[in-house]
Structures are given as structure tokens and as C-alpha cells.
Amino acid sequence: MALANAELQRGDPAAAIRRQQQALAGLRGLGEGGRLGLLAGSGALAQMQQALGDLPAARATIEATLAAARGVWPADEPALLHMQQTRAAILRDLGDVAGARAEFAAVLAGLQRSVGAGDPRTLAVQLALAQMAHQAGQAAEARPLLTELLAQGRPRLGPAHPIMLMALTMLIDVAQAQDELPWALTQLQAAVTELRGLLPADRPELLGLEQRLADVAGLLGDLAGARALQAEVLARWEAAAGPRHPGALAAAASLGMILQRGGMLDEARALQERVLRDSREVFGATAIDTWTAQRQLAATLNLLGDRAGARALLAEVVAGLTQRLGVTHPEALLVRGELGMAAQAMGALDEADAELAPAIAGLMTQLPADHRVLLD
């Protein structure tokens, strides 16, 4: 299993899976003596299969492992709950939103009983559950989960712990979805001030929060301040890690959107074209980050009047997301709606209707009727 982990660290999940399967075969030969190691190793194998994108195999592996583990451990044993958490994540990736949320909720309740509400394992599951609620447009459900998480985790983990920072960032997202931008700005200003006293200026955690602060300030109309802060964040990212680091690319993408909102469309286009080009080389042409860069560039092209260019970029993203996530996935439906609006702007009304109608119908089954995406 150590060899499998080494393959993972080298970035070769397929080789890691082969190594893990070989190790598991050896443990099976040990009989009862290798039972616990076999269970733990099988759970790790499911996670490797999930990381490789072989979700059916990952699901089959974790369900067989769970069936065996339930005969060994009590229901609230953390090791068993960790396997259930893996199953929940696989169900989520397969698009079984209801099944995943039910499984995450069961794991959260079990961990709260067995290790306590403030344990990092409990908080990580609570974060995943809040994220699913947020992605489903259920801000009223996500917000108390995140608020409780921050209150319980902060005394134990401190403000700079990754779980705390992810929860704060998601809470800001939820506040934005609820049109509470001034509140979000106040929270970000306080967090950035605190972290500046704790972390070096080039720490990713601080740079990420400063990037969000610039985004929210821009949305509230302070475009000059937002542009200055985001440019500073980008410069620090590039100095610390180079212009093609994922953090630097994210900061450049955010600066591009600020330029777009400020009407500096030619500058936005040049920057977004660079981000897209670098994203294709760093992440690959079919990575989610690359598709996000394509969508942002498409929006700028549309504002510049290049409807055909915008439409071509969005069509690629729709095809990729549909293949990757399925035709009914909310993200695929959302971009399909964007493609329909681009076609509508070109006067291709039949094509627009063919894209918009199923996108709206699909989103209506997954989002609240008053969700801003549907209203748009």
C-alpha cells in the first residue's frame, strides 16, 4: 500500500490502483489476520478509483467494503463512518444528490455522537453537506450548517485552518446568493485583517481571501479598489509561485471579471485569453477550471459583439460538461442555458429554444423557483 501511495504522489492514479490491488491480494492470503488491513485498503482503493473517474468501480468497491465492515465494527465506529463518507462522495459524483446528502447526514450524526461536534472529521463532513445544500440553491439550509461549523471549529482549529477557511469562503458564497453583499464584505474585511496578522503575505490562504474581498468589493461598485487589490494579489501570486500556478490563474481570472464589469473589455479579453491558454496547458482542455475560463471569456466576447466566438466557446463547454457530468447535472444545464442565450443574441431562435427549454425545465426540478439563475 505504501507503493500505491508513492504512485499517487507521482501523479499516476492508474498505477496506484494496480499497486493497491496487488497489496489487497496479499492481505486476502493472510485470512483473518489481514482483515482490518483489507478493509482499510479496500476503502482507499475506492477513493483511488473515484479520483481516476471510474465511479461505477468505486461504488462497487466501497459498497462491498461497507458490507464487510458492518460485520466487524459498530455503527458509530469512525473507520466505518469514513467509508460511508467515501460512499457519499461517490454518490455525489455520480449525480445521486439525494442519496449523497442522506449518507452525509447519517455520517455527520454518527461522528457527532462518536468523536464530537468540534472534531475535524465531523467538521469536514458538515462542510460537504453544506456545500451540497449550497449547490442545490438551498441557502437557508447551508447557512446555519456553516455558521455552526465556524462557531464549533474556530476555538479548536483556529481561523487559519483549511476547514475554517473553506467554510468561511462558502458562507460568503451563500451570503452573495442571498444578496447580502455588505455583510459578506464586512466578514471578509475582518478575516483578512486577522489573517494578515497571522500569516506571511504570500500564503495561499491569505491570498485567496484577499481575492474574494476584491471580488465582493467589485460587486458592490468599488471597481477601482477591487482592481487595485486584485492586481496586487495577482502580483504576489506570480512572485511566489509563477504566473501559471493555479492560484495565480484564479487571481488573473478574477481580475478579468473585474475589468469586464468595469467596462474595460479589451483588457479583460486579453487577460482572459491568456488565462484560458494557460489553463489548457496546466489543467488540460477538459478540466473544470479550463471550462470556467472559457465561460468567462465567452461572456466578454458577447459584450464585445463577438457572438459567434462566444457561442463556439460555450458549445465546447456544454459538450464537455454533458459528457462528464450527465445531461441533467445542474452545471451542465446552466451552461446550456448560457449557450441558448448566446444563440438568441445571434438571432438563431430555433437553436436558442432548443437549448433554453430543456435547460430551464431541468433546473426547475433542482433549484427553488425564485433562484436567481432561473429568474435570469
Side-chain angles (χ1 to χ4, degrees):
M1 293 187 193
L3 292 174
N5 288 330
E7 296 289 1
L8 276 180
Q9 291 172 354
R10 281 195 288 268
D12 190 346
I17 287 173
R18 290 193 296 272
R19 293 283 193 184
Q20 190 75 356
Q21 289 170 332
Q22 291 167 1
L24 292 175
L27 287 171
R28 289 188 187 96
L30 297 177
E32 193 66 24
R35 191 176 188 186
L36 294 181
L38 183 61
L39 290 174
S42 296
L45 175 61
Q47 291 176 316
M48 293 176 190
Q49 292 167 326
Q50 179 190 13
L52 190 62
D54 190 354
L55 297 177
R59 181 174 184 173
T61 298
I62 198 62
E63 289 184 347
T65 305
L66 275 169
R70 288 188 174 110
V72 176
W73 290 313
D76 286 350
E77 164 62 38
L80 178 61
L81 292 169
H82 179 66
M83 292 178 183
Q84 285 184 247
Q85 181 180 349
T86 299
R87 181 177 185 271
I90 292 168
L91 291 176
R92 177 196 60 205
D93 291 351
L94 282 165
D96 182 0
V97 175
R101 290 179 70 175
E103 191 88 24
F104 274 128
V107 173
L108 177 60
L111 287 172
Q112 286 172 334
R113 289 190 297 267
S114 61
V115 299
D119 187 274
R121 291 165 289 182
T122 308
L123 298 172
V125 175
Q126 190 163 345
L127 183 66
L129 196 55
Q131 183 178 35
M132 293 200 72
H134 174 48
Q135 290 174 340
Q138 296 168 340
E141 180 178 339
R143 188 161 186 169
L145 282 169
L146 293 166
T147 302
E148 180 184 61
L149 188 162
L150 288 164
Q152 291 171 339
R154 185 181 174 87
R156 181 168 178 175
L157 303 180
H161 190 279
I163 292 178
M164 296 296 97
L165 292 171
M166 285 188 285
L168 175 61
T169 300
M170 197 180 302
L171 184 58
I172 298 303
D173 290 338
V174 170
Q176 286 185 232
Q178 294 179 315
D179 291 323
E180 294 188 25
L181 288 175
W183 183 89
L185 183 69
T186 300
Q187 297 299 308
L188 282 166
Q189 288 170 332
V192 165
T193 299
E194 182 176 32
L195 288 178
R196 281 174 175 165
L198 297 173
L199 302 175
D202 60 355
R203 276 289 291 270
E205 299 91 334
L206 176 58
L207 291 169
L209 275 186
E210 288 178 320
Q211 179 182 327
R212 292 304 308 275
L213 176 58
D215 289 339
V216 173
L219 289 171
L220 282 168
D222 182 11
L223 292 170
R227 182 183 182 186
L229 177 56
Q230 200 68 271
E232 178 192 336
V233 169
L234 176 57
R236 279 160 43 208
W237 261 121
E238 291 181 342
R244 291 178 138 196
H245 186 278
L249 289 174
S254 293
L255 180 56
M257 294 304 294
I258 290 170
L259 293 170
Q260 183 205 93
R261 286 194 293 270
M264 292 167 276
L265 299 180
D266 290 329
E267 291 180 58
R269 176 178 183 168
L271 184 55
Q272 289 169 337
E273 286 176 338
R274 193 202 91 189
V275 170
L276 177 56
R277 182 176 61 253
D278 288 348
S279 295
R280 283 173 171 157
E281 294 186 14
V282 172
F283 305 120
T286 60
I288 296 295
D289 288 325
T290 303
W291 287 333
T292 299
Q294 280 189 233
R295 289 171 66 185
Q296 291 173 341
L297 176 57
T300 299
L301 292 179
N302 192 50
L303 291 170
L304 283 165
D306 184 0
R307 316 285 190 202
R311 183 181 176 189
L313 287 172
L314 289 171
E316 286 183 12
V317 178
V318 169
L321 283 174
T322 299
Q323 184 177 18
R324 172 84 60 84
L325 304 176
V327 70
T328 61
H329 193 280
E331 197 68 17
L333 291 170
L334 178 59
V335 186
R336 191 172 184 184
E338 292 174 7
L339 176 59
M341 289 188 284
Q344 189 178 62
M346 291 182 66
L349 299 183
D350 289 341
E351 180 185 340
D353 187 59
E355 301 294 347
L356 282 169
I360 293 170
L363 288 169
M364 286 182 70
T365 67
Q366 302 182 56
L367 299 177
D370 61 350
H371 195 281
R372 65 170 59 197
V373 168
L374 289 173
L375 295 176
D376 290 343

